[in-house]
Amino acid sequence: MAVSSVLSTSAVSAEPVVPSQGRPRAAEAASAPPAPADHRSLRPHLTELRLSAFASHRGAAFPLGPFTLFSGPSGCGKTSALRAYEALARLGGGAELGEVFVDPHACVPERARPDAQRRRGFRIGCTAEGPEGPVRLDVAVQAEPDLRIVGERLTSGGLVLLETALRDPARRAVQAAWHTAGATPVTRAPLPDDRLGTALLPLRVAGKTDGQRRVLAAAEQMVVALRSVFACDPCPDRMRLPVPVGSGRLLGGCDNLADVLGRTRAECGRRHAQFVAAVRAGCAGPVADVLAESLGDGTVRAVLDRGAGPRTALGRLGDGELRYIALALVLFTGPGVLEVDPAGEVPAAMQALTVLSDDVDRRLDPRQRGELLRLAARMCDRGHIRLLGTTTDASWAAGTDGITVVHLEP
């Protein structure tokens, strides 16, 4: 499937490449015309996800805004697009290929035929914007018979900065060549075939020439854009239980939300007050505060202070209320509170956290969905957080400024 480039600020056309594999119908960016460059444009962030051959996707290029929703019926590839994004993020953080793709065969397009050596694989990529302008990364992965990266290309301004290729299948390495622009135009060396070469460049490139410095700057922009990702899928049943006092870092399932509430309430009263206001807007009954209550045995539970009478344990709330509270808390926090792997060597002011949420509006009623939409649009507009989610029907997001909707069809 494929998506063409943005034609205007309100629509993206789609041209089918392999109709039998499914295609996006359209992508709508309900945002205002681009604002002048400011500090937000300096935060590296992804503007495009490419699935050249991945699961049900063929030749697909998805535009990514501060708040992007993949919309479509079951089976159109929404979840697989999020998985590809998360996979790139983990590779950018230095994870090994086998850790990222536990079931690589599921990533191979179903109708892909093996070559004479029985090899099959998939291809994914992305574009990262930032101080270096647009930087493209494309990766080819062999899934069968052995899992390995067989090709990688990092480009900027039409110049290939890094290129790798599998030359000898008997060796667990690829041959890499990166731009030098010195006495030797290109430097060649082997790199492991189970790691993303772009993430390894800072350890291999000296940065002595202008060309090497350009390679390092582009690689750093891509890695920073990829690394700060938080995959969030709140699990209401787990959120109802008391949890041990721990690190105060929110897990992807949000089951330790009570432990995190104690930290966020103490560290930033102003942001906590905004969070309480959001909870008040999306939950039934009065809400004066949201806090963690110690049970005296080393565990805490989350409760709503109703302002009068007994407090309400979150365990008494419905699934929709719990998911809404968890997602609101995620939007009000950052890498220091969420269980993510940010680029520690880069100042927080230069990073943007990306939240991935599959079926983001699951179990939410129309009021909660609308409140979450407005909150996410407001927080994403500030530039420090981005949201990429999926939904079966995105009509509830239509007409909201700052939302990019990508419609997919089976």
Side-chain angles (χ1 to χ4, degrees):
M1 61 174 70
V3 176
S4 70
S5 59
V6 177
L7 300 179
S8 69
T9 59
S10 61
V12 175
S13 67
E15 294 296 333
V17 173
V18 183
S20 61
Q21 297 294 325
R23 66 184 187 278
R25 179 162 51 86
E28 300 168 359
S31 58
D38 57 14
H39 67 282
R40 290 174 297 182
S41 65
L42 299 179
R43 298 175 187 261
H45 57 277
L46 296 194
T47 56
E48 185 178 69
L49 174 67
R50 291 184 296 280
L51 305 181
S52 301
F54 184 84
S56 63
H57 300 279
R58 291 290 190 102
F62 303 124
L64 302 175
F67 182 0
T68 304
L69 284 173
F70 290 136
S71 173
S74 178
C76 68
K78 305 186 299 293
T79 298
S80 61
L82 255 63
R83 288 175 180 166
Y85 190 115
E86 186 177 6
L88 284 169
R90 295 184 63 190
L91 290 173
E96 293 184 1
L97 199 63
E99 299 174 5
V100 176
F101 298 106
V102 179
D103 184 12
H105 307 287
C107 303
V108 179
E110 188 174 11
R111 299 186 181 185
R113 296 182 178 179
D115 63 11
Q117 287 75 41
R118 299 183 295 107
R119 296 177 299 185
R120 295 202 310 159
F122 52 91
R123 291 178 289 136
I124 56 179
C126 59
T127 298
E129 285 278 0
E132 300 302 311
V135 177
R136 289 174 55 100
L137 171 67
D138 294 285
V139 185
V141 178
Q142 175 185 293
E144 302 168 2
D146 300 308
L147 180 63
R148 61 203 312 179
I149 294 177
V150 295
E152 178 180 349
R153 179 175 291 180
L154 185 72
T155 60
S156 176
L159 180 66
V160 177
L161 301 179
L162 168 70
E163 190 166 27
T164 72
L166 180 65
R167 301 299 185 192
D168 183 358
R171 297 184 60 195
R172 297 301 307 191
V174 292
Q175 185 64 32
W178 58 81
H179 184 62
T180 306
T184 304
V186 176
T187 299
R188 302 182 188 276
L191 290 178
D193 66 356
D194 63 347
R195 300 287 183 103
L196 191 68
T198 297
L200 299 175
L201 284 178
L203 304 175
R204 298 298 186 102
V205 180
K208 294 181 179 180
T209 69
D210 289 342
Q212 288 178 336
R213 286 188 286 272
R214 182 174 182 182
V215 169
L216 287 174
E220 180 183 77
Q221 176 169 299
M222 180 59 68
V223 169
V224 172
L226 285 172
R227 279 182 62 174
S228 294
V229 165
F230 182 66
C232 180
D233 185 14
C235 301
D237 288 343
R238 296 179 183 177
M239 293 167 60
R240 291 189 169 92
L241 303 175
V243 296
V245 176
S247 65
R249 289 172 66 87
L250 190 65
L251 302 176
C254 300
D255 40 295
N256 66 331
L257 180 139
D259 179 42
V260 176
L261 276 176
R263 173 184 176 183
T264 57
R265 188 172 186 271
E267 289 183 354
C268 185
R270 181 182 63 83
R271 181 156 291 192
H272 181 77
Q274 294 176 336
F275 166 66
V276 172
V279 174
R280 185 181 304 119
C283 292
V287 177
D289 202 353
V290 187
L291 59 155
E293 185 177 75
S294 175
L295 299 181
D297 59 355
T299 65
V300 292
R301 66 172 184 171
V303 298
L304 298 184
D305 183 352
R306 297 297 191 178
R311 293 170 173 173
T312 301
L314 258 63
R316 290 181 173 274
L317 303 184
D319 287 359
E321 289 179 307
L322 289 174
R323 280 185 56 84
Y324 171 82
I325 290 173
L327 291 169
L329 181 64
V330 168
L331 292 171
F332 275 113
T333 55
V337 176
L338 306 177
E339 190 65 42
V340 299
D341 179 30
E345 64 278 8
V346 179
M350 298 296 292
Q351 300 184 54
L353 169 71
T354 299
V355 176
L356 305 181
S357 184
D358 196 15
D359 203 5
V360 64
D361 59 330
R362 185 168 74 250
R363 310 246 178 122
L364 301 187
D365 64 27
R367 179 183 62 156
Q368 293 163 344
R369 196 168 55 188
E371 292 293 341
L372 185 68
L373 176 68
R374 286 185 284 274
L375 172 61
R378 186 171 81 249
M379 299 305 291
C380 292
D381 183 62
R382 298 180 180 180
H384 76 284
I385 195 167
R386 297 170 70 84
L387 177 60
L388 177 59
T390 70
T391 181
T392 302
D393 179 7
S395 59
W396 53 275
T400 303
D401 288 344
I403 312 300
T404 299
V405 177
V406 180
H407 295 286
L408 303 181
E409 291 183 352

